Amino acid sequence: MQVALITGGSAGIGRAAALEIARSGVGVVLTYRRHAAEAMATVAEIEAAGGTAAALPLDIGDLASFDGFAERVAKTLRDGFGVDRLRHLVNNAGVGGGAPFGEVSEELFDDLHRTLFRGPYFLTQRLLPLLEDGGTIVNTGSTSALDTGIEAGYSAYAAQKAAVHVLTRVWAKELAPRRIRVNAVAPGTTRTRIGDDVFERMPELVAQWGEQAAFGRIGEPEDVGRVIAFLVGDASAWVTGQVVEVSGGQGL
Ligand SMILES: NC(=O)c1ccc[n+]([C@@H]2O[C@H](COP(=O)([O-])OP(=O)(O)OC[C@H]3O[C@@H](n4cnc5c(N)ncnc54)[C@H](OP(=O)(O)O)[C@@H]3O)[C@@H](O)[C@H]2O)c1
């Protein structure tokens, strides 16, 4: 059985990707940070549909925990799935957040850097020995780092996502000898729990942000989850080093 590790699978885009990938018959190990109950609910939903899944805690900002995390992943693969390697890694866990450039604190900058770039960078390095040759890595970038999505107030966030887009291309080159494909999705504004539930707290923003897309609405987690599943699957076997915008035509 192939198994995918999806960071941040307790909510939003990661949860949608986990459900979609599981539907294709791939086993899923998803991670959560604060929302254990939601992670278990996603596992239960996958199992109810006939799939196989497990959930593990992970703080992507805590590099010191990665050795222990990798050991727990290896044990979960053996005990829960009967395999010793991961086939796919989806680096999705993350947060939102911004401030006008003049007000960006070192704390906000460092938090975004740790969570969005440094964490997935070194977690992937740590998990490389566990990843099968011929497998895939999918990173979650953002339109905030593309010409179509430049917005005032997001310099620190967008810069981390730009770094994710760049490392996607470099890893694709570097891991090609192992036939590991590396791609990224760049979601536009998507209705998740991001920004402390910003879409629940400020529903008036939903219509406003929706107008930025050619299709006139914001994205739903499934819109992005389906594309992540495509980049994991064999239908994209000839695709590597790409950043795929998933935004309903933002900025067109
Ligand atoms: N929504 C958008 O408009 C949008 C647009 C472009 C890119 N993105 C990117 O999409 C990715 C997924 O975000 P989302 O929109 O789906 O948000 P979400 O609904 O808030 O989900 C975020 C997920 O990441 C996990 N997470 C948060 N901080 C973490 C940490 N320090 N360590 C480990 N896991 C952590 C959360 O776990 P717990 O809930 O268990 O704490 C949750 O599973 C992020 O990388 C985000 O930057 C989102």
Side-chain angles (χ1 to χ4, degrees):
M1 167 180 242
Q2 291 187 4
V3 181
L5 175 69
I6 301 163
T7 67
S10 52
I13 292 168
R15 177 178 176 279
L19 292 169
E20 193 67 29
I21 289 169
R23 262 193 282 279
S24 69
V26 173
V28 164
V29 180
L30 57 92
T31 77
Y32 59 93
R33 186 180 181 207
R34 295 207 172 91
H35 295 91
E38 283 84 345
M40 298 314 165
T42 309
V43 168
E45 198 173 336
I46 290 171
E47 289 176 342
T52 314
L56 295 174
L58 169 72
D59 178 354
I60 195 74
D62 180 9
L63 267 59
S65 72
F66 288 179
D67 280 347
F69 176 74
E71 281 166 22
R72 280 192 293 281
V73 171
K75 181 171 170 22
T76 302
L77 290 175
R78 274 194 311 273
D79 298 351
F81 300 86
V83 298
D84 58 7
R85 292 291 170 93
L86 280 172
R87 180 76 179 182
H88 311 287
L89 170 61
V90 179
N91 284 311
N92 163 81
V95 291
F101 176 40
E103 295 166 25
V104 173
S105 63
E106 288 182 25
E107 191 188 1
L108 173 64
F109 184 98
D110 288 346
D111 188 41
L112 291 169
H113 179 66
R114 262 195 309 271
T115 311
L116 299 176
F117 180 50
R118 197 168 183 260
Y121 187 95
F122 285 105
L123 182 69
T124 304
Q125 185 190 65
R126 185 64 192 77
L127 293 176
L128 267 185
L130 266 186
L131 196 61
E132 264 180 62
D133 288 359
T136 71
I137 298 173
V138 180
N139 299 315
T140 305
S142 168
T143 53
S144 65
L146 299 177
D147 288 349
T148 50
I150 297 297
E151 287 246 25
Y154 288 94
S155 59
Y157 175 87
Q160 309 312 317
K161 292 298 193 181
V164 167
H165 295 178
V166 171
L167 70 79
T168 296
R169 297 179 66 76
V170 180
W171 286 355
K173 181 94 174 165
E174 200 162 332
L175 297 176
R178 288 183 56 190
R179 292 174 290 103
I180 294 173
R181 298 187 295 110
V182 189
N183 292 292
V185 288
T189 307
T190 308
R191 192 196 314 265
T192 65
R193 285 205 323 246
I194 204 163
D196 294 324
D197 268 319
V198 66
F199 301 105
E200 286 278 319
R201 287 188 292 109
M202 305 171 83
E204 67 281 6
L205 289 178
V206 171
Q208 194 180 310
W209 276 329
E211 283 165 16
Q212 295 172 352
F215 282 162
R217 66 166 176 86
I218 64 168
E220 299 297 334
E222 296 72 25
D223 292 321
V224 187
R226 277 192 289 268
V227 180
I228 293 175
F230 164 72
L231 291 172
V232 159
D234 288 345
S236 61
W238 198 234
V239 180
T240 195
Q242 303 305 304
V243 177
V244 181
E245 180 172 339
V246 191
S247 69
Q250 190 169 311
L252 290 179

